[in-house]
C-alpha cells in the first residue's frame, strides 16, 4: 500500500509525468535528475497546489531513489527545488 490519498491524485500525477515524459524522454538513468527538475519547473505550482498530488510526486521520487535511479544528493536537490 502506498501513501497517495486517492486514485484521482495518482491519475493526475501520472498524467502530468507521462505527458511530460512523452515530450522529454528519459533515455538513460543519468538524465533522470535533469528531467525531474525540468518537470518540477513546469508543474511545480500544480503539485504544490494539491497536497495529494504532491505526495504522489514525493513517493515517485522515493521510488526512483529506492531503485538506484537517483542518489541521495539528487533526491535532496529534487525535493528542495520546490
Amino acid at each position: 500500500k502506498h501513501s497517495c490519498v486517492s486514485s484521482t491524485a495518482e491519475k493526475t500525477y501520472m498524467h502530468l509525468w507521462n505527458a511530460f515524459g512523452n515530450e522529454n524522454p528519459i533515455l538513460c538513468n543519468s538524465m533522470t535528475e535533469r528531467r525531474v527538475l525540468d518537470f518540477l519547473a513546469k508543474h511545480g505550482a500544480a503539485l504544490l497546489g494539491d497536497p495529494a498530488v504532491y505526495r504522489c510526486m514525493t513517493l515517485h521520487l522515493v521510488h526512483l531513489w529506492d531503485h538506484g535511479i537517483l542518489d541521495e544528493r539528487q533526491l535532496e536537490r529534487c525535493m528542495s527545488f520546490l
Side-chain angles (χ1 to χ4, degrees):
K1 186 161 173 134
H2 47 77
S3 61
C4 288
V5 172
S6 70
S7 63
T8 301
E10 287 178 281
K11 288 177 184 177
T12 299
Y13 175 75
M14 290 311 299
H15 173 75
L16 289 173
W17 178 252
N18 288 334
F20 180 83
N22 285 336
E23 297 170 3
N24 305 276
I26 298 173
L27 304 175
C28 59
N29 287 354
S30 63
M31 294 176 70
T32 304
E33 179 188 13
R34 180 74 258 152
R35 290 295 191 258
V36 169
L37 292 172
D38 292 344
F39 173 78
L40 295 175
K42 183 173 182 175
H43 295 292
L47 297 170
L48 290 172
D50 187 333
V53 176
Y54 182 82
R55 279 189 295 276
C56 290
M57 183 273 305
T58 302
L59 181 61
H60 184 215
L61 293 180
V62 169
H63 281 280
L64 293 173
W65 168 78
D66 191 42
H67 291 283
I69 297 169
L70 295 176
D71 64 26
E72 284 182 36
R73 179 182 48 81
Q74 293 169 317
L75 176 63
E76 186 175 321
R77 263 199 306 268
C78 291
M79 291 302 297
S80 65
F81 185 81
L82 295 176

